[in-house]
Amino acid sequence: MKNMTVLGAGIMGHGVAQLFAQAGKNVRIQARRQESLDQARELITNSLKIMVEKDMLTTSEMKATQARITYTTNLYEALQDADFVLESIPEVLELKLDTYEIVESVVSEKTIISSNTSTFPLKDLTQRAKHPERFIITHFFNPPQLVPLVEIVKVAVTEEKVIQATYHLMKEIGRSPVILQKEVPGFIVNRIQVAMLREAFHLMEMGVATAEDIDIVMKGSMGFKWAFCGPMESQDLAGLQTTKYMVENLLPELSDVKEPPAFLTEMVENNQLGIRTGKGFYTYADNQAAEKIRKRDDDFLELLRLLNREKETLHSYSG
Ligand SMILES: NC(=O)c1ccc[n+]([C@@H]2O[C@H](COP(=O)([O-])OP(=O)(O)OC[C@H]3O[C@@H](n4cnc5c(N)ncnc54)[C@H](O)[C@@H]3O)[C@@H](O)[C@H]2O)c1
């Protein structure tokens, strides 16, 4: 597969377009508004520049990557000769369905159509599809050009060759894909994340820990370990007898509420939405967002460098 089309040039779309281009693919990225495309171009340039600064990319690789991306507001033009279409437009079902109708009317029958949806089941996304068997979900994580995981979601009707081609494409662009064995709401990561957040919110409500304490605790324990040693591997190292005691003793103590905590609803009602409104669990100065994102990306790149080094070491051990 050589020609990639990315629909939507927002937080996720621009990062996935960058990944495809870095892997040598021709990329067309489409958004409705020229401003979205201009912003995407700037974000991609900035992200590539940081990689050059960190010696993870040469200047000529950066230029070649940029040259492989075409920006357009014209959906029909974006879809010409597409081998793989990645839809990353807003999470509004009608918008996505209308877009797929046009996509299917333009692309060849061999073209794979994937969605970056975080919440919609594949059967909803394909309710008006002429060829539901070539639809698939590829769920990336923000920032997609740095976070390795992609959750691949298929259903019974999805063609095996579509699943395999998508899996190999994700590998080719340097991701770590996982194919879900069956579709469930929230896929894997967001289910585990929400389970963890429920308990963190519960601890805050009980007055055990502040938001800042929760961050210190997680960064210094699970966050530190999990990039290299996953939760299941960690249990094997600790011993499963201990795991069984811990689960048995603590499960009855944990929160099992089915609704968001009142304090979260109140924060949202008061426009305390986090960095974009200057206040969330922390308070942010006006110009802090860009700086914070730059620092996060710097840290993630350092982690990636370590993970890549580990992969290379394992590769050389195995000959
Ligand atoms: N933001 C995240 O952390 C995250 C993570 C994983 C998956 N997702 C999913 O990725 C998708 C995109 O999310 P995002 O955060 O990048 O959104 P976003 O709002 O940042 O970007 C959406 C982009 O789509 C463009 N757009 C709007 N309507 C369009 C249309 N009809 N055709 C083409 N382009 C259109 C907008 O101009 C914008 O460029 C959603 O399905 C979302 O659920 C988001």
Side-chain angles (χ1 to χ4, degrees):
M1 288 194 282
K2 193 73 190 147
N3 297 326
M4 309 288 132
T5 298
V6 177
L7 306 178
I11 296 179
M12 301 304 287
H14 87 271
V16 179
Q18 176 183 332
L19 273 178
F20 283 143
Q22 279 185 258
K25 307 293 181 189
N26 302 321
V27 187
R28 290 204 177 103
I29 179 163
Q30 181 264 347
R32 280 180 169 180
R33 292 178 306 121
Q34 185 59 42
E35 304 90 88
S36 305
L37 293 172
D38 293 343
Q39 198 187 16
R41 191 196 300 267
E42 192 184 327
L43 289 170
I44 292 173
T45 303
N46 290 344
S47 171
L48 292 171
K49 272 188 186 158
I50 297 174
M51 289 182 186
V52 171
E53 277 168 29
K54 289 188 173 292
D55 288 329
M56 295 171 88
L57 207 65
T58 64
T59 309
S60 65
E61 282 167 341
M62 168 172 161
K63 287 196 175 136
T65 300
Q66 287 170 308
R68 282 192 281 267
I69 309 177
T70 311
Y71 299 81
T72 178
T73 52
N74 185 324
L75 178 56
Y76 293 87
E77 191 185 305
L79 293 165
Q80 295 307 314
D81 304 320
D83 296 314
F84 190 93
V85 177
L86 183 288
E87 169 276 302
S88 195
I89 68 174
E91 195 73 347
V92 180
L93 188 58
E94 271 308 310
L95 266 189
K96 292 189 189 280
L97 294 178
D98 290 348
T99 301
Y100 300 151
E101 243 173 65
I102 300 175
V103 174
E104 281 204 293
S105 74
V106 179
V107 299
S108 99
E109 284 193 13
K110 287 194 190 138
T111 306
I112 296 176
I113 304 171
S114 89
S115 174
N116 189 27
T117 181
S118 314
T119 54
F120 295 123
L122 209 40
K123 87 170 167 6
D124 290 0
L125 294 175
T126 55
Q127 60 187 270
R128 290 182 352 216
K130 277 193 276 184
H131 293 288
E133 68 281 359
R134 42 98 162 251
F135 279 75
I136 194 154
I137 291 171
T138 45
H139 184 229
F140 288 79
F141 292 82
N142 183 30
Q145 69 278 25
L146 300 181
V147 181
L149 180 70
V150 178
E151 291 175 314
I152 297 180
V153 186
K154 40 121 185 161
V155 285
V157 75
T158 320
E159 260 185 346
E160 189 54 34
K161 65 177 185 216
V162 169
I163 302 166
Q164 289 311 320
T166 304
Y167 180 83
H168 289 294
L169 177 65
M170 294 301 116
K171 288 281 239 193
E172 208 186 329
I173 64 170
R175 300 302 84 187
S176 305
V178 161
I179 304 173
L180 270 68
Q181 289 170 29
K182 59 165 90 161
E183 189 179 50
V184 284
F187 314 141
I188 300 174
V189 174
N190 283 337
R191 289 178 82 101
I192 295 178
Q193 176 169 234
V194 170
M196 186 276 292
L197 283 175
R198 173 162 67 183
E199 190 53 33
F201 293 153
H202 183 51
L203 292 168
M204 286 163 68
E205 279 187 311
M206 287 196 302
V208 175
T210 62
E212 195 181 1
D213 294 334
I214 301 280
D215 281 341
I216 294 171
V217 163
M218 293 305 288
K219 287 198 266 190
S221 59
M222 306 311 173
F224 179 83
K225 294 204 269 184
W226 282 350
F228 295 95
C229 184
M232 298 300 151
E233 289 170 304
S234 296
Q235 300 315 311
D236 266 359
L237 291 178
L240 296 186
Q241 180 64 70
T242 307
T243 305
K244 182 167 179 285
Y245 287 144
M246 188 171 71
V247 170
E248 228 163 43
N249 295 341
L250 285 184
L251 275 184
E253 300 294 329
L254 302 186
S255 170
D256 60 358
V257 295
K258 302 278 184 225
E259 286 180 356
F263 74 80
L264 184 62
T265 307
E266 204 175 301
M267 285 170 80
V268 172
E269 280 168 6
N270 291 334
N271 205 32
Q272 291 178 19
L273 303 180
I275 205 158
R276 76 172 73 160
T277 60
K279 192 158 173 51
F281 291 114
Y282 300 89
T283 304
Y284 304 91
D286 277 353
N287 54 357
Q288 231 184 325
E291 192 190 309
K292 188 115 183 125
I293 290 171
R294 162 80 206 232
K295 162 99 175 62
R296 178 202 66 183
D297 289 359
D298 263 5
D299 292 342
F300 286 178
L301 274 169
E302 289 303 327
L303 186 58
L304 261 186
R305 205 201 288 275
L306 274 177
L307 284 167
N308 288 342
R309 200 188 302 157
E310 176 165 268
K311 261 193 227 153
E312 276 161 27
T313 314
L314 286 175
H315 187 68
S316 65
Y317 281 148
S318 63

